[in-house]
Amino acid sequence: MSALGAMEAAAGPAEPLFRPLSAEDGEQQPAEIESLCMNCFRNGVTRLLLTRIPFFKEIIVSSFSCANCSWSNTEIQSAGRIQEQGVRYTLAVTSRQDMNREVVKTDCASARIPELDFEIPAFSQKGVLTTIEGIIDRAVAGLEQDQPARRATDKEVARKIDEFIGKLRQLKDVHSPFTFILDDPSGNSFVENPHAPQRDEALVVTHYRRTPQQAAALGLELPDAAEDLRDEVLQFNTNCPECNAPASTNMKLVQIPHFKEVIIMATNCDSCGHRTNEVKSGGAIEPQGTRITLRITDPSDMTRDILKVQCPGIPALASCGLGGVWGSPALLHGAHSMLTFAVRDVEKNPFTLGDSSMPSRTGKLQEFIGKLQDIIEGKAQAHFIMDDPAGNSYLQNVYAPEEDPELSVQRYERTFEQNEELGLNDMKTEGYEPEATSGR
């Protein structure tokens, strides 16, 4: 049974579980629970007090003390759920009476004093039931904690902190007005209104909608995973495709300008030295296929970036026996590199230009390689065509976002055979729910 459940059982159904904070001491008896001290790892005592703050809500005040090592700790928790909206209290402190206002500050709330450019960040302190003066005292105690060490190592920093501590202490005398801002995305913090239920002219309470980042910090929703992936390289373990030894693969999500997101993957094997790199589309298959045509008129055209995924073919080259080159995993580099790889693979293939090749085929391939070399060196003009039924290939437009006079992009409807190859004919994304059976 939880501590709260034990207190409910002890209180009985007729007695209220939460009593007003201003109730007599005899009416508020905290529950005592023996618990482990995290400082000396011997048993101490935790005291729980369930109380209700007038014109606010119920809270749980917990206090731990250890008689063995004298360690103690006090904090508060909201007895309710996270509110629908966050809350921001802005108080104009003008008198000593304002310093005595009760404040409930949860661990996810931040406190600011703009006049001193001072802030207590969220999640830097545990929840506390205190006053505005108490919050300033806690801040002073925190700053003074390491001052002896600072004075020994960095006197200048220690001097500046001493000056700031003096300014904080002067706020307690309220020689001049200042602003106290308590901002809590959970909506469970509180600043007392001594005039309640009347309006307090010095206190402004603002309710607001939480941002996605604040909701993620409270555990209400997950942060945008795609944003995280853009800023880091992920690594996971795999096996080398050559020697099957353990290897690692790096993965990075990259946004191509004026196109879409792609996933770059690189595998490196320390055992055999094998390296592979691959680029996958970060999006779904497009509704239409894409045919990209580039008229190569200048050697600079050979430096344009290309993204070629696995499914598209390049008919002009595939018909020449080079389908294996273009059917490789996705590549992201310049057109110059693609043609250079094609020439290299043909020259190294023993069945095309080696001793086992036929003289007629060797002559034709040598002529073809010569034409590719002329295109690579800018001595001949040509058309470079990429046909991708999935619509996920890319060829850089150097004039983007304006139109490129040498580049044309044509979208077309896929044939049944192309949809079959992509696995789209049997894919059903709508109306796949089974029909409800009629009741007997």
Side-chain angles (χ1 to χ4, degrees):
M1 181 182 295
S2 65
L4 185 58
M7 295 185 69
E8 289 178 343
E15 299 182 10
L17 187 60
F18 292 89
R19 294 182 174 86
L21 187 63
S22 59
E24 296 296 332
D25 293 339
E27 298 180 9
Q28 290 182 294
Q29 295 296 330
E32 295 188 356
I33 304 172
E34 187 176 5
S35 53
L36 180 67
C37 175
M38 301 308 297
N39 186 48
C40 66
F41 298 102
R42 286 183 286 182
N43 285 340
V45 177
T46 297
R47 294 175 176 85
L48 296 176
L49 177 64
L50 279 63
T51 186
R52 182 174 65 252
I53 297 179
F55 305 101
F56 183 49
K57 61 183 65 175
E58 295 85 3
I59 62 172
I60 302 174
V61 182
S62 64
S63 174
F64 174 84
S65 61
C66 178
N68 301 293
C69 65
S70 300
W71 190 72
S72 62
N73 180 37
T74 303
E75 64 178 296
I76 70 162
Q77 296 178 356
S78 173
R81 59 182 179 83
I82 294 177
Q83 305 303 306
E84 295 294 332
Q85 293 181 314
V87 64
R88 182 183 301 110
Y89 293 89
T90 303
L91 174 66
V93 180
T94 59
S95 65
R96 283 287 305 174
Q97 287 75 16
D98 291 331
M99 299 295 293
N100 294 326
R101 293 190 186 219
E102 289 181 350
V103 174
V104 175
K105 179 183 176 296
T106 65
D107 56 353
C108 57
S110 63
R112 291 192 297 119
I113 300 177
E115 287 77 4
L116 292 183
D117 195 19
F118 172 72
E119 179 177 4
I120 301 175
F123 301 103
S124 61
Q125 296 179 351
K126 293 184 177 180
V128 62
L129 172 61
T130 182
T131 61
I132 294 179
E133 183 176 4
I135 288 181
I136 295 177
D137 287 337
R138 286 168 62 92
V140 169
L143 291 174
E144 288 182 332
Q145 183 176 0
D146 296 327
Q147 278 297 83
R150 293 192 191 100
R151 293 189 182 99
T153 57
D154 195 332
K155 295 182 179 180
E156 181 63 21
V157 172
R159 182 185 63 81
K160 293 181 179 179
I161 293 179
D162 283 334
E163 292 179 357
F164 190 79
I165 290 175
K167 294 179 181 179
L168 284 176
R169 285 175 171 162
Q170 289 177 3
L171 291 179
K172 296 165 55 177
D173 297 328
V174 197
H175 293 306
S176 60
F178 65 92
T179 306
F180 177 79
I181 301 174
L182 185 65
D183 193 330
D184 185 358
S186 73
N188 286 326
S189 289
F190 170 75
V191 175
E192 179 190 7
N193 174 7
H195 308 289
Q198 304 298 322
R199 180 181 176 184
D200 188 347
E201 297 295 336
L203 182 64
V204 177
V205 183
T206 306
H207 296 274
Y208 61 88
R209 185 182 299 274
R210 283 183 287 268
T211 64
Q213 292 78 15
Q214 290 173 328
L218 294 173
L220 298 180
E221 62 183 47
L222 295 176
D224 188 356
E227 290 293 335
D228 294 341
L229 291 176
R230 293 188 188 96
D231 298 331
E232 62 178 320
V233 177
L234 302 180
Q235 188 176 81
F236 54 91
N237 297 326
T238 183
N239 286 15
C240 174
E242 291 293 327
C243 66
N244 203 37
S248 60
T249 297
N250 295 327
M251 183 178 70
K252 181 75 167 66
L253 186 65
V254 178
Q255 174 69 45
I256 297 180
H258 308 288
F259 186 53
K260 60 175 65 175
E261 289 180 337
V262 297
I263 301 173
I264 301 178
M265 304 179 68
T267 301
N268 184 18
C269 179
D270 295 332
S271 299
C272 67
H274 178 74
R275 294 183 178 182
T276 60
N277 61 79
E278 185 175 355
V279 180
K280 296 181 179 291
S281 173
I285 295 176
E286 295 293 321
Q288 294 179 309
T290 303
R291 183 178 295 107
I292 305 174
T293 303
L294 172 66
R295 189 164 67 96
I296 301 175
T297 59
D298 188 86
S300 62
D301 290 331
M302 303 301 296
T303 63
R304 297 185 184 222
D305 289 334
I306 291 175
L307 170 65
K308 175 191 167 295
V309 295
Q310 186 171 0
C311 53
I314 302 181
L317 296 177
S319 62
C320 299
L322 301 178
V325 175
W326 312 114
S328 61
L331 305 171
L332 179 60
H333 44 50
H336 180 281
S337 300
M338 293 189 71
L339 296 182
T340 302
F341 291 157
V343 172
R344 181 198 62 186
D345 290 344
V346 172
E347 291 177 339
K348 290 183 177 180
N349 192 332
F351 296 100
T352 56
L353 297 179
D355 296 337
S356 60
S357 62
M358 299 177 60
S360 59
R361 177 181 296 179
T362 301
K364 291 181 179 179
L365 286 176
Q366 288 286 8
E367 181 182 356
F368 177 71
I369 291 175
K371 292 181 179 180
L372 286 181
Q373 290 288 2
D374 289 341
I375 296 174
I376 293 173
E377 297 170 4
K379 298 178 181 179
Q381 297 186 359
H383 284 81
F384 186 85
I385 302 174
M386 293 182 63
D387 193 337
D388 181 5
N392 284 328
S393 291
Y394 164 80
L395 202 157
Q396 182 184 13
N397 175 3
V398 295
Y399 297 92
E402 304 296 333
E403 292 187 2
D404 190 333
E406 308 300 337
L407 184 69
S408 65
V409 180
Q410 177 187 0
R411 302 194 179 275
Y412 61 88
E413 298 295 333
R414 286 184 287 266
T415 64
F416 179 87
E417 290 75 14
Q418 289 172 328
N419 283 329
E420 185 70 18
E421 184 178 356
L422 294 174
L424 299 178
N425 289 333
D426 297 329
M427 186 180 297
K428 192 174 184 181
T429 59
E430 295 180 359
Y432 56 84
E433 298 87 350
E435 295 183 1
T437 57
S438 59
R440 295 183 178 179

